[in-house]
Every structure is written in structure tokens, then in C-alpha cells.
């Protein structure tokens, strides 16, 4: 701060702004700059060991080749809005040094409905600065909602204007401190100044949603006081220190990122013949050939009778699509819990053929997973069940492993309870660390299951990603960067089908390959799915690309966009 030429008063004031209170951070205050740098450092770990190659490539494209740096900045800057009276006054003990440094405030609203939240305050702080220093309101318009939405909901543009001047901070002292927080963090991360951060182009809406979810993920990891102890002395805060803390936390949490730059199979049929031991049927061979020949990520609709091997063909196609387009994992959506269990075991067998250690990265997502013996054995680090079958039992799950338990491995998003969102306390009985090759128990937390690299679960997890619900960005971040397989699509009722259509629209815009499996589909439904996916790909409201009539049954339909035009082909 001194090297940047900040006045001694500004240095003192920025050094007093707190980000995590001692009362809710393991008994130790954590300064705001420390938390911003911790989150940026976690984002660096996510870039190196979690993000898919496809998403890294897109961030490189929008940042002029500085994707990793830009990703760290946008994740870290999320809490800059805590540099305002509305937040700093929340804890009287923490507020005293801030007031003593000359950052004062008057009467603040006490009604929770009128309280000025720090996520919105961050957008209000950054929006005018980005528009001015980037020379373009258009460039700022897609970035500020990422900051404003990091607590699970995106405010409207009108909500980013404070109704009371006092809540955001009045006077030169506050303005100088708020500018300094942004500038010091930006310089510490590696940019020259805020103008240097300007993206060269915008992400698409679905990509923005996925990025928003990744920001939330980085924030939640960096907010865990067990791994990021509070630092109340600004002299102890540095980006190098934050990187060391993030590396240690990443290792202790045992977080993984699935396939990292998966190699292409040596021969076109290897994913079926060698990996799955299948003598390909014509429909399986066609699906795999289509996965090899599509010039861009797209939608594949497979219609074949039971026993035809649709699922194995879909997994083989997923391997090819992931290797060709830089995806890091797979989500297999099933119609029921009963069908999810055997599919989970099948996916376990499949991922072991890539690397036995990947077994610990396969999540089972449904409300009764605690009764699945395979899931319990893997996530509890116990001996694997003997014999065949789905591994289901009706025993009692160990405490803290069920999807419906109330404990959460992440202790708190600090100060959320001030806004009526009480944090959940961590379980005292859960193991402290999973071990180097064990599963990452962090993913057991609420709304985090889809963030696991490989997942099998009920289709509602996919459908929820197409709803305007709180923290929908976390669910969508878990789908972006994967290949999505939806089995037994014919089982969807009219309501599920509508949500599936919306999900396909978002997945198409995010460049997520989707494989739909069905015994058969009415032509109108097939057309509906194709048009929805292509609408997302082309970013248009009502794309209609007629699907040619199939020459027979079984059949494979593919749809993708290339050169700005829609393509639909069938057997």
C-alpha cells in the first residue's frame, strides 16, 4: 500500500477493515484484504486442479490470454463490498478499530428488509468504476452481477442503488478506502490497475452463470476458518502467504478435478471394445462415430430398445466428447433412486478403467444414498462390499453422511445470519481429512454434489439447474465442464419435460455435450429437444431446425451449431 503511494491515513484505514469477525471465524478476526487474497489463491488452485480445459480456454479467450489471472481476480474481488458502513457496523467489537481510524457512519437501517447487503454493495462500488476505467458500460454490465450474486441470488440493476446514502459510506475517507481496497487487491494479484483487468469480450449468459458458481465455490472454501485462520495484522497479509494457505487447504480437503486433459483414444472403437469390453452393435457404433465426427459439442438423442447397450455406448461417447472438447467429467441423470444405484456401480467400474483413484470422485446424488453400501464404503474409507448387485441395504447410515443430514462440512459464510440466512455448523463427528486419495468430503455439503467430477443421480438435479432458485449457479457450475447423459427420457412427464427443455437450452449455450437415451420418442418431442438445445447454442429465442426422418430403429439423432448455423442429422 505504501509503495502504491497511499496516504498513511488510507493505509491505516484499509488495514482496519475486517472481512471475518472473530465471533464467527474461530475466535480470530480476519482482515478484508486477507480474505480477498485467500479467495483469489483458492481460485488459482481451482484453475490448476479443478476447472475443465474447455472452461479455462474460454476464460483465456475473454481475458486476452490471461485466464488464470483474471479468474483469480474475479473470484477474489467478490467481497469488496464489505468495505462499507453497513457491513463494518455489524459487529461492534470489530467496528471499534474501523471507527477509530476515521471511517465513521451515522444512523443505519435496522430493518433486515432494508439492510444493505455486502454482495450488492460490492456491485455498487465496482459498477461505476469499471464502466469509467474500462471505457465501456457494456464490458462492466456482465461482470458486476458476478459480484452481486455471490450469495446465491442476482439482484436487478435497480437494487444496486442504495436507498440510504449512509449505508455505502459518505465522504472522502470512505471513497478513498473503497478505491484502495480494490486497487491494492488488484495490484497484489498481478494486474497493473483496474483498467488492466478489462475483459476483451463477454462470456455468454450460461457461461456467466457457471463462473458465478465457481466464485461461490472459491468463497466457501476460503471462508473455512479451520484452513484459513484469521489474520488481524495487515503486516502478515500477502498474496504469497495466501497461496501457501490455499495450497495447504486444497491438499487437506482432498479436492480433485476429474479428467485433466484426457487423451484421445488410440482407435475409434477403443472406448467400447477395450474399456468396456463390448462387441459393438450397429447403434453403439453409430453413436461413437457421431461423437468422433461432430465438429462442436452438441446434442445426441439415442433411441433403442432395452438390452441394446445404450448406456455403455453413451459412456463411450462421453469419453470421446470429453477428450475432444476438454471436459473434465460426466453426470448421468436417472429417472429414479432405484435406477440410480445400479448405474452408480456401473460408472464406478467405468472410471476405474481410467484410474482406480477416480473411484473416490464419483458422487451418488439422491436422498437415500446412505443406504447404498458401495457409496458408504467409499466415502467412509472402509472395505468394499463383496458380491455383485447395487450395493443397497436398509442399514443405518453413519452420522453425517446422508444427503438429508443437517450438518455441513463448511462452517459458515461469515455474517450471513445477519441477513436471515443462518450458517450451518460443521459436524463434530466427521473425519478431519479424507487422505490423499480418498473422497473430498467437502462435496457432501448442501448444493455441492454436482461439483464432484463424476456424478450419478436422479434427474431432478439436472432439472433444478434450470430453475430460478437460490444458488442455482452452484448446480450449473457442476454441469458446465461435464458431459451430461440423461437416461430413460421417455419416462419424463409433461412437467419434467418442460424443465428439461429449459435445461437443454442453458446447456447448449454453455457448450455442454448432452446425450439423451430413450426407448423411443415421439417425433414432436425429439424436435422439441433439438430446437431447445440449438436455441442455446445459437443464442436465439426460437430456433427450429427440422430433424430428418430416421431410416429405421434403433436410431441416433445429433444436433450442433457450426459457423453460426444449426445442423440436425439422424440415422
Amino acid at each position: 500500500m505504501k509503495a502504491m503511494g497511499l496516504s498513511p491515513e488510507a493505509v491505516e484505514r484499509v488495514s482496519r477493515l475486517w472481512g471475518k469477525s472473530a465471533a464467527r471465524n474461530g475466535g480470530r478476526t480476519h482482515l478484508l484484504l486477507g480474505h480477498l487474497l485467500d479467495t483469489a489463491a483458492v481460485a488459482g488452485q481451482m484453475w490448476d486442479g479443478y476447472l475443465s480445459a474447455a472452461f479455462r480456454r474460454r476464460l483465456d479467450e475473454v481475458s486476452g490470454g490471461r485466464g488464470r489471472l483474471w479468474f483469480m481476480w474475479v473470484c477474489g474481488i467478490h467481497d469488496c463490498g464489505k468495505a462499507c458502513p453497513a457491513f463494518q457496523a455489524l459487529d461492534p467489537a470489530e467496528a471499534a478499530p474501523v471507527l477509530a481510524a476515521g471511517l465513521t457512519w451515522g444512523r443505519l437501517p435496522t430493518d433486515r428488509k432494508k439492510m444493505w447487503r455486502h454482495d450488492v454493495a460490492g456491485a455498487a462500488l465496482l459498477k461505476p468504476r469499471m464502466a469509467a476505467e474500462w471505457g465501456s458500460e457494456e464490458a462492466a454490465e456482465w461482470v458486476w452481477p458476478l459480484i452481486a450474486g455471490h450469495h446465491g441470488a442476482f439482484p436487478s440493476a435497480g437494487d444496486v442503488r442504495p436507498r440510504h446514502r449512509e449505508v455505502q459510506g459518505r465522504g472522502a475517507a470512505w471513497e478513498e478506502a473503497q478505491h484502495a481496497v480494490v486497487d491494492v487487491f488488484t495490484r497484489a494479484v498481478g494486474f497493473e490497475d483496474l483498467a488492466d483487468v478489462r475483459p476483451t469480450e463477454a462470456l455468454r449468459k450460461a457461461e456467466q452463470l457457471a463462473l458465478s458458481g465457481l466464485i461461490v465455490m472459491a468463497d466457501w472454501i476460503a471462508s473455512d476458518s479451520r484452513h484459513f485462520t484469521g489474520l488481524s495484522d495487515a503486516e502478515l497479509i500477502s498474496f504469497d502467504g495466501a497461496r501457501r494457505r490455499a495450497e495447504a487447504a486444497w491438499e487437506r480437503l482432498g479436492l480433485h478435478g476429474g479428467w485433466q486433459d484426457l487423451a484421445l483414444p488410440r482407435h475409434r472403437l477403443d472406448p467400447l471394445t477395450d474399456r468396456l469390453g463390448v462387441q459393438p452393435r450397429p447403434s453403439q457404433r453409430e453413436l461413437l462415430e457421431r461423437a468422433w465426427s461432430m465438429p462442436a459439442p452438441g446434442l445426441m438423442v439415442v433411441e433403442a430398445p432395452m438390452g441394446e447397450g445404450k448406456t455403455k455406448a453413451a459412456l463411450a461417447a462421453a469419453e470421446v466428447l470429453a477428450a475432444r472438447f476438454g471436459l473434465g467429467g460426466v453426470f448421468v441423470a436417472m429417472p429414479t433412486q432405484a435406477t440410480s444405484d445400479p448405474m452408480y456401480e456401473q460408472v464406478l467400474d467405468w472410471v476405474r478403467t481410467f484410474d482406480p483413484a477416480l473411484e473416490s470422485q464419483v458422487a451418488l446424488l439422491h436422498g437415500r444414498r446412505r443406504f447404498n453400501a458401495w457409496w458408504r464404503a467409499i466415502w467412509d474409507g472402509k472395505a468394499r462390499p463383496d458380491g455383485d448387485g447395487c450395493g443397497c441395504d436398509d442399514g443405518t447410515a453413519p452420522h453425517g453422511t446422508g444427503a438429508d443430514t443437517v450438518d455441513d462440512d463448511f462452517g459458515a459464510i461469515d455474517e450471513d445470519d445477519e441477513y436471515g440466512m443462518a450458517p450451518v455448523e460443521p459436524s463434530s463427528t466427521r473425519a478431519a481429512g479424507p487422505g490423499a486419495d480418498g473422497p473430498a468430503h467437502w462435496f457432501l455439503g448442501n448444493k455441492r454434489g454436482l461439483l464432484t467430477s463424476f456424478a450419478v443421480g436422479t434427474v431432478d438435479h439436472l432439472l433444478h439447474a434450470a430453475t430460478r432458485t437460490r444458488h442455482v449457479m452452484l448446480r450449473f457450475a457442476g454441469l458446465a465442464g461435464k458431459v451430461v447423459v440423461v437416461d430413460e427420457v421417455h419416462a419424463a412427464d409433461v412437467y419434467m419435460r418442460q424443465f428439461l427443455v429449459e435445461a437443454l437450452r442453458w446447456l447448449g449455450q454453455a457448450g455442454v455435450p448432452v446425450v439423451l437415451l430413450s426407448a423411443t420418442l415421439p417425433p414432436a418431442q425429439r424436435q422439441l429437444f433439438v430446437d431447445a438445445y440449438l436455441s442455446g447454442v445459437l443464442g436465439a429465442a426460437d430456433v427450429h431446425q427440422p430433424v430428418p426422418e430416421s431410416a429405421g430403429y434403433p436410431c441416433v439423432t445429433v444436433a450442433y451449431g457450426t459457423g453460426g448455423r444449426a445442423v440436425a442429422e439422424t440415422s
Side-chain angles (χ1 to χ4, degrees):
M1 288 189 281
K2 294 174 182 176
M4 291 174 62
L6 294 183
S7 67
E9 294 80 12
V11 172
E12 175 69 13
R13 289 162 183 161
V14 173
S15 298
R16 292 286 179 261
L17 293 171
W18 61 278
K20 302 288 180 184
S21 67
R24 297 181 178 88
N25 193 57
R28 300 187 63 173
T29 302
H30 196 29
L31 294 180
L32 177 56
L33 278 178
H35 176 58
L36 302 187
L37 292 172
D38 284 344
T39 309
V42 168
Q45 292 294 310
M46 291 169 60
W47 178 278
D48 295 337
Y50 180 80
L51 265 62
S52 69
F55 204 76
R56 295 198 306 266
R57 187 163 56 245
R58 277 296 290 140
L59 291 180
D60 273 331
E61 290 171 356
V62 303
S63 63
R66 299 183 295 178
R68 187 177 189 273
L69 188 61
W70 198 87
F71 181 62
M72 290 193 296
W73 181 86
V74 78
C75 287
I77 201 65
H78 74 286
D79 261 354
C80 67
K82 288 183 175 180
C84 75
F87 181 86
Q88 294 296 312
L90 287 176
D91 188 302
E94 306 292 353
V98 179
L99 290 165
L103 292 174
T104 59
W105 51 82
R107 192 186 197 96
L108 298 174
T110 56
D111 185 351
R112 286 189 174 185
K113 294 182 179 180
K114 297 180 180 179
M115 289 182 72
W116 186 235
R117 294 171 47 116
H118 71 264
D119 46 1
V120 181
L125 190 162
L126 281 174
K127 186 179 178 182
R129 282 203 62 186
M130 289 189 297
E133 297 186 38
W134 291 357
S136 166
E137 287 194 10
E138 183 180 353
E141 281 301 310
W142 72 269
V143 177
W144 71 258
L146 302 175
I147 287 84
H150 79 264
H151 275 296
F154 299 102
S156 67
D159 292 333
V160 181
R161 292 188 292 269
R163 298 176 183 176
H164 304 276
R165 291 181 59 194
E166 203 69 37
V167 294
Q168 184 73 357
R170 278 196 299 175
W174 272 110
E175 183 178 355
E176 183 183 34
Q178 290 167 345
H179 275 65
V181 166
V182 174
D183 294 340
V184 170
F185 167 77
T186 300
R187 179 79 68 89
V189 169
F191 284 104
E192 288 295 323
D193 49 34
L194 186 59
D196 192 31
V197 181
R198 177 183 175 176
T200 57
E201 60 179 278
L203 289 172
R204 306 180 82 185
K205 293 286 187 192
E207 294 167 333
Q208 294 172 31
L209 188 63
L211 176 56
S212 178
L214 295 170
I215 293 171
V216 174
M217 179 178 175
D219 180 27
W220 285 9
I221 294 171
S223 296
D224 192 335
S225 61
R226 293 169 297 172
H227 304 293
F228 294 87
T229 56
L231 298 174
S232 57
D233 184 353
E235 295 282 353
L236 301 177
I237 294 174
S238 69
F239 195 36
D240 286 340
R243 278 193 289 253
R244 290 191 294 270
R245 287 152 61 93
E247 289 171 6
W250 192 264
E251 183 69 24
R252 286 195 297 269
L253 289 169
L255 297 171
H256 309 284
W259 290 318
Q260 293 292 304
D261 302 314
L262 180 65
L264 283 167
R266 287 180 296 176
H267 304 290
R268 295 176 81 86
L269 291 178
D270 278 357
L272 272 173
T273 57
D274 288 6
R275 193 172 303 286
L276 291 167
V278 172
Q279 187 62 37
R281 291 185 169 94
S283 62
Q284 294 174 314
R285 185 186 295 268
E286 182 184 2
L287 180 61
L288 200 55
E289 287 294 335
R290 293 283 188 176
W292 277 106
S293 63
M294 276 199 307
L299 173 70
M300 313 179 82
V301 184
V302 185
E303 297 172 67
M306 288 182 61
E308 186 73 12
K310 296 189 294 293
T311 301
K312 288 187 176 180
L315 294 179
E319 177 184 350
V320 173
L321 294 168
R324 290 187 62 215
F325 301 119
L327 290 314
V330 175
F331 173 56
V332 183
M334 303 299 294
T336 64
Q337 296 179 6
T339 55
S340 297
D341 282 309
M343 179 58 67
Y344 171 65
E345 198 165 336
Q346 186 170 340
V347 171
L348 281 175
D349 290 339
W350 177 61
V351 300
R352 290 188 197 106
T353 64
F354 295 93
D355 182 350
L358 289 178
E359 173 190 74
S360 65
Q361 297 188 47
V362 184
L364 177 60
L365 306 179
H366 66 66
R368 292 177 60 83
R369 64 182 178 183
R370 64 193 183 279
F371 298 127
N372 184 289
W374 271 100
W375 184 84
R376 285 169 52 186
I378 290 171
W379 288 80
D380 288 347
K382 297 178 180 178
R384 304 302 188 252
D386 296 325
D388 299 324
C390 71
C392 303
D393 63 40
D394 57 359
T396 302
H399 177 73
T401 59
D404 54 353
T405 53
V406 297
D407 59 300
D408 190 329
D409 211 38
F410 172 69
I413 304 173
D414 199 8
E415 317 309 326
D416 274 0
D417 57 338
E418 298 293 344
Y419 306 112
M421 299 177 290
V424 184
E425 290 303 317
S427 167
S428 60
T429 61
R430 181 169 293 158
D437 297 323
H441 290 88
W442 187 88
F443 291 115
L444 293 178
N446 191 27
K447 303 175 183 176
R448 303 179 207 169
L450 275 176
L451 294 169
T452 316
S453 301
F454 303 93
V456 178
T458 47
V459 70
D460 55 295
H461 288 85
L462 171 63
L463 305 182
H464 267 96
T467 61
R468 186 173 293 185
T469 51
R470 194 168 198 85
H471 287 116
V472 66
M473 67 282 292
L474 269 177
R475 301 183 191 275
F476 197 78
L479 295 173
K482 286 185 175 68
V483 180
V484 173
V485 179
V486 187
D487 202 0
E488 301 191 36
V489 176
H490 56 271
D493 61 27
V494 64
Y495 302 104
M496 294 169 61
R497 197 178 307 131
Q498 188 58 43
F499 283 112
L500 179 58
V501 165
E502 291 305 312
L504 289 173
R505 200 185 312 275
W506 282 91
L507 293 171
Q509 191 173 94
V512 175
V514 179
V515 185
L516 302 181
L517 308 179
S518 181
T520 185
L521 280 176
Q525 284 187 31
R526 188 187 313 118
Q527 186 69 59
L528 183 66
F529 294 150
V530 166
D531 288 344
Y533 189 87
L534 290 175
S535 293
V537 170
L538 300 182
D542 297 303
V543 172
H544 178 68
Q545 182 63 32
V547 177
E549 186 176 349
S550 172
Y553 177 79
C555 67
V556 176
T557 301
V558 297
Y560 54 88
T562 179
R565 65 185 184 89
V567 177
E569 302 167 345
T570 193
S571 300

